[in-house]
Amino acid sequence: MKKIFEPFETHNFKTKNRLVRSATWENLATEKGGICENSYMLYDELAAGGIGTIITGFTSVDLHDRYFGGMMRLCDDCLIPEYRRLTDIIKGHGVAVITQLALGAYYAPSHNGQYSEVDIDYMTKEQILQVVDMFIEAARRASEAGFDGVQIHAAHFFFLSRFISPAVNHRTDEYGGSNANRARILVDILEGIRKVSPKLHITIKINSSDFLPTGLTETDSLEMCRIVAAHGIDSIEVSGNGTSRPGIRTEADEAYFGKFAARLADQVSVPVILVGGFRSRKVMENVLNNTKIELISLSRPLIRQPDLPNLFETGVTDRADCISCNACYRTDGHTCIFVPKPKWLCAD
């Protein structure tokens, strides 16, 4: 029987329990992607709360990515010391730490020196390979900064998610058409990271479905997951478009990507991580013990209760206080409106 609060180990990765803080964008970084003091305090609080693994928030691989503001970045070696301080803080609590490497969109310079977004269909092969290299170099920096692993963010309709979606990618070359061709960019990134940073745990976050007409279906996603598993991915986190669903009823609406994740776990030999609507310890344990899913990932509950894992383990509570109102997305630093403003939000 699998237990939430037991050590878990897989390729290039060890963690003290099966709970993962899923990557959550905080909108707290500097324009160039540096880490502000309040971010250090936020992650210190999360790490002290009993979570086994933290996947840090959306971290762009490109300085010119302006998809939204406040993104952390690993696009320059000068940022490594700031991220080394972050990993030291998190690891000081005995918590494993992974950075989510992502790209909002690909921006290229025009004749006047301004950067503008390039449609995936019109990217040159050289530009695609440049993106691949951005991810590889960001992973190298992550390794030098002390991260245990990196997560390739191919979900939520950011750049890689759109690239692998037939709703967006209409290319007719080796990077378009079939699922295998559209997944080629993921394989290129994965194999490049493995070659340059062999000690990193490499995971991927992917949509179970785009939930869009002509978009990535569950059948498509299963095939792509099998492809990256065959090429050596270490674990897969299952999500989907339309994540952060509102109004989750405890024990009734939890684990809304669970059926897909269970199917996936039966088809691949690497650990599957499931995120999406978890609120109760009972449902988490049921998922772990009635499927081959290995790890449970949380986001919104930890915004309200960063110490929720400790509360679970000590028996203080068996369910999260989060009511899935999504008001946290409209606050500074994505904080919960039902609790006092955290001290780290007031830091410089």
Side-chain angles (χ1 to χ4, degrees):
M1 177 177 289
K2 289 178 282 188
K3 300 178 181 178
I4 292 176
F5 295 101
E6 66 181 0
F8 176 77
E9 182 174 352
T10 187
H11 186 249
N12 286 352
F13 182 72
K14 294 181 181 180
T15 183
K16 64 183 179 182
N17 62 48
R18 294 179 183 267
L19 295 179
V20 178
R21 187 269 197 167
S22 193
T24 305
W25 173 58
E26 298 97 5
N27 191 22
L28 294 174
T30 67
E31 183 178 358
K32 293 186 177 180
I35 302 178
C36 300
E37 193 64 31
N38 46 18
S39 291
Y40 291 122
M41 297 174 67
L42 162 64
Y43 280 103
D44 187 41
E45 181 180 56
L46 276 169
I51 201 76
T53 302
I54 288 176
I55 304 178
T56 59
F58 188 109
T59 302
S60 183
V61 299
D62 183 14
L63 175 63
H64 304 290
D65 183 7
R66 293 289 181 263
Y67 204 70
F68 50 76
M71 293 185 290
M72 294 193 291
R73 302 177 192 271
L74 271 171
C75 56
D76 194 303
D77 285 4
C78 71
L79 293 167
I80 293 174
E82 296 183 39
Y83 285 86
R84 167 61 73 174
R85 180 183 171 194
L86 179 65
T87 61
D88 285 345
I89 288 171
I90 293 171
K91 289 183 173 183
H93 293 280
V95 176
V97 58
I98 293 169
T99 181
Q100 183 186 74
L101 300 183
L103 188 65
Y106 176 75
Y107 294 81
S110 59
H111 63 279
N112 61 3
Q114 298 296 313
Y115 280 78
S116 57
E117 183 176 349
V118 180
D119 188 283
I120 286 169
D121 286 349
Y122 300 111
M123 289 177 68
T124 66
K125 184 176 179 180
E126 289 71 24
Q127 289 173 329
I128 293 173
L129 295 178
Q130 181 185 22
V131 169
V132 170
D133 189 60
M134 287 178 186
F135 276 87
I136 295 169
E137 281 295 287
R140 174 187 61 80
R141 296 182 189 104
S143 181
E144 293 180 17
F147 284 94
D148 298 301
V150 295
Q151 181 177 74
I152 301 168
H153 192 0
H156 304 165
F157 238 48
F158 295 114
F159 176 82
L160 289 179
S161 177
R162 296 195 303 277
F163 198 102
I164 64 176
S165 174
V168 177
N169 183 340
H170 309 108
R171 301 177 67 93
T172 57
D173 62 0
E174 67 267 40
Y175 287 96
S178 68
N179 286 330
N181 279 0
R182 283 181 282 107
R184 190 182 305 275
I185 191 171
L186 305 180
V187 173
D188 289 349
I189 291 169
L190 166 60
E191 292 185 339
I193 293 173
R194 183 73 72 206
K195 183 177 181 180
V196 172
S197 304
K199 294 183 179 180
L200 285 175
H201 179 87
I202 307 174
T203 184
I204 189 169
K205 191 169 194 174
I206 193 167
N207 285 346
S208 55
S209 170
D210 288 343
F211 303 111
L212 292 170
T214 74
L216 197 75
T217 66
E218 290 192 358
T219 299
D220 295 329
S221 184
L222 286 170
E223 182 178 356
M224 290 193 171
C225 288
R226 291 194 297 268
I227 289 170
V228 294
H231 285 272
I233 202 74
D234 292 320
S235 62
I236 301 170
E237 185 179 20
V238 170
S239 188
N241 276 355
T243 188
S244 301
R245 295 180 186 176
I248 299 300
R249 295 170 297 165
T250 302
E251 296 187 29
D253 304 313
E254 298 183 51
Y256 40 76
F257 302 124
K259 290 183 179 179
F260 172 90
R263 289 176 61 197
L264 174 61
D266 285 335
Q267 295 184 27
V268 295
S269 59
V270 301
V272 171
I273 309 164
L274 176 59
V275 70
F278 282 107
R279 297 293 178 269
S280 66
R281 181 170 180 171
K282 177 181 178 180
V283 172
M284 296 176 196
E285 290 175 339
N286 284 343
V287 167
L288 288 175
N289 287 296
N290 291 291
T291 73
K292 294 181 180 178
I293 295 166
E294 295 286 2
L295 298 165
I296 302 297
S297 205
L298 306 170
S299 178
R300 288 175 292 173
L302 297 176
I303 293 175
R304 182 161 184 171
Q305 294 170 287
D307 61 343
L308 184 62
N310 282 340
L311 298 177
F312 278 169
E313 187 170 23
T314 57
V316 173
T317 188
D318 62 359
R319 59 186 58 201
D321 289 343
C322 178
I323 61 171
S324 312
C325 66
N326 286 346
C328 50
Y329 294 135
R330 299 186 294 275
T331 65
D332 291 337
H334 289 168
T335 55
C336 181
I337 64 172
F338 295 106
V339 297
K341 183 179 291 187
K343 293 180 180 179
W344 55 260
L345 192 60
C346 303
D348 292 331

